[in-house]
Structures are given as structure tokens and as C-alpha cells.
Amino acid sequence: MRRRDGLAAYVFLAPWFVGLIAITVGPILASLYYSFTDYSLIGDPEWVGLENYVRMVGDERLHTSLGVTFTYVFVSVPLQLALALALAMVLDRGVRGLAFYRSVYYLPSLLGGSVAIAILWRRVFGADGLINQVLAFFGIQGEGWVSHPDYALGTLVILNVWTFGAPMVIFLAGLRQIPVMYHEAAAVDGAGPVRRFFSITVPLLTPIIFFNLVLQMINAFQTFTQAFIVSGGTGGPSDATMFYTLYLYQEGFGNFDMGYASAMAWLLLAIIAGFTAVNFLASKYWVFYGD
């Protein structure tokens, strides 16, 4: 019976194992091999060793894409989490129709990475878009925000901040787990709302903040659709929206240099793993688990 049950379990797990090998592990190992080759997607890959990785050192456009990506991550993620926490605090006060508001605020997280929203964003921040129409009503001459090198990246930062729904729901769940008696005791001792927030809410919420920080940072590093649609796939204007993933796509599927693109993918993996490891190492100094 035990042997039969084990066989049945393996049969039911077989589709997952096939998917893991064919869709995940296989392509990962293939990209690792291609990163050491000169591969154009048409001919056979030619082994070149570390040439693709050495090429990255002198690739100025790659350095630009890294700078754009780092700016995007380090600006948009903190702003997104701050907005998500603020709205979670408001909803935690027992707003009537909480389920409705929670669904409405979560909706941008479902739609924010879609092509349709990226097209809408390009229209809203275009020269004749909604933003400039509102500014014109007040007599202000707006810019072509998505076509101006100084503002194009900012529009994508705003788009990422707008997708605050997922971390907000997680923050709201964490706030619901904080015992009310802590706040009541602090209020009796004379602590105001601000003091209670920084002395009670934030320390007890640090595991949730840490979880959201790691998750949103990883997602931000992999952002592609928004930059591709808003810039028309060019990363413009003047490479202002040249995200690392977009440059990787251009090299792999635009210039058919899949060997170099594979090496870039592994560099991105190393960058994300490095920042994630730093977050985990630093978490012991500021994350409070209460054990």
C-alpha cells in the first residue's frame, strides 16, 4: 500500500517535474552555456569563454542601463512601500466597505504590468495627454513628459508607485495582527499617534516591511513591459528609460547576440542575489520577530 501510494504521488507530481525541467531548469542551464558562446540564434553557438563577461566592462550602454535601473529601484520601491503602508494604516481604522476599498486599491497591482496600462500611461503623460490638459486649465504649459530625458524615468517611477496594491494588502494583514492593548497602554502613558507609530507599529511590522521590500525590489529589477511600451522599445529619449532588462532584450532579440544577452541575464541574477543577500544580512539589525 505504501509503495502504491508513493507511485501515485509521483504520477500526480510528474507534470510539475516535467515543467520544472523543460521550462525552468533546462533554459537556465542552456543560458549559462550560451553566456560563454557567440550565438546568433541562427547558426551554431561558438565557444568564446569569458569574452562576453569581459565585454561588459567596456559597454557604456550597459553601464547606463544599470544606472537607470538602480535609480528606478531605489526611488520607486521606497515610495511605493511608504504609500502602501500609509493607505493600509487608513484602512486599518475600520473603514466602512473595507472589502470594496481593498479590492479597488489592489486592482493597480494586477493591471500595472500590462501592456494596456503602459499604453495608457504613455497617453496620459504625452504632450497632449491628460496631465498637460489639467495643467493647461490652470495656465501652465506642460512638457512632453515621456519624451523628455529629464522626466521620462519619473513617469515610470510614478507607474510603479501606483501599483501599491499588493504590498498594501500585506501591510494591512500585518497591522491586523498587532494587539490593540499595546497602543492602549502607550496611550495611557501619554504617547501620541506619531510616537505609537514609530515605537509600536513599525517595530512589530518590520518582518512585513522586510518581506515587501525584498519582493518589490526583485520585481523592480525585472521591470520590462512599462519601459518597452512607453519608450517604443528604444529606451529613449536619450536612453533615459533604458532599463537593464530592455537592453538585454535589444541585444538578444534585436541584435541577435544571444550569447551576450545570456551573460547579461546572469549578471542580473547576480545583482538581484547580491542585493537580496545584503537585505537578509542587514535584517538582523532592524527586523524584530518578537521571539
Side-chain angles (χ1 to χ4, degrees), residues 206-228:
T206 48
I208 306 297
I209 296 173
F210 173 67
F211 174 79
N212 274 332
L213 175 63
V214 172
L215 201 63
Q216 297 307 315
M217 184 192 68
I218 293 174
N219 289 336
F221 269 115
Q222 300 177 82
T223 300
F224 170 78
T225 303
Q226 297 90 323
F228 182 85

Side-chain angles (χ1 to χ4, degrees), residues 19 25 32 53 67 95 98 120 129 136 178 190 197 206 236-237 239 247 259 274 277 289-290:
V25 177
L32 179 61
Y53 293 94
V95 179
L98 175 61
L120 175 64
I178 299 177
F197 175 75
T206 48
D239 286 348
Y247 184 47
Y289 289 103

